[in-house]
Amino acid sequence: QVQLVESGGGLVQAGGSVRLSCAASGHTFSNYYMGWFRQAPGKEREFVVARNWRGTTTIYRNSVKGRFTISVDNAKNTVYLQMDSLKPEDTAVYYCAASISPSDSSPKEYDYWGQGTQVIVTS
């Protein structure tokens, strides 16, 4: 069974850091693009960052550049999102996703999704 399982979310104060994990199983994603998306209450799901598995192509949302970092541990089949200098505006449920060949950064381009993990950033 194909699964993407996120973990690592929680409550953090503004300026703090959190590392999210996305454990992949039941499939090989070496030929896929891996992405992180987020959804705040009452808002549409939005793109955060994506990269191909090798990391030769990586695209960040402008508002997270210099603060967030995506990485992959091939041996553990795990994708990470390191989030530093967190702001209250980063509060959302964060989702891991995978796409064989996304045309753009729309959530509709991604085929596999995790269940999400909540990050709350307080002032």
Side-chain angles (χ1 to χ4, degrees), residues 26-94:
H27 195 73
T28 299
F29 292 97
S30 59
N31 299 126
Y32 281 69
Y33 281 76
M34 307 302 297
W36 286 95
F37 294 77
R38 65 187 182 187
Q39 188 165 20
K43 300 192 69 176
E44 294 185 7
R45 192 166 300 186
E46 66 181 20
F47 171 82
V48 178
V49 60
R51 61 169 272 175
N52 58 355
W53 192 268
R54 282 191 61 196
T56 55
T57 299
T58 304
I59 302 173
Y60 288 90
R61 184 181 190 88
N62 284 337
S63 62
V64 307
K65 287 181 178 178
R67 300 191 299 121
F68 292 8
T69 304
I70 187 171
S71 62
V72 170
D73 187 327
N74 189 61
K76 296 182 178 180
N77 294 315
T78 299
V79 183
Y80 301 97
L81 182 63
Q82 177 68 42
M83 304 190 293
D84 299 321
S85 302
L86 283 163
K87 305 175 181 179
E89 306 93 271
D90 297 318
T91 296
V93 175
Y94 283 73

Side-chain angles (χ1 to χ4, degrees), residues 108-119:
K108 296 180 179 179
E109 296 295 313
Y110 284 74
D111 308 297
Y112 298 101
W113 291 86
Q115 82 291 342
T117 185
Q118 185 169 247
V119 175

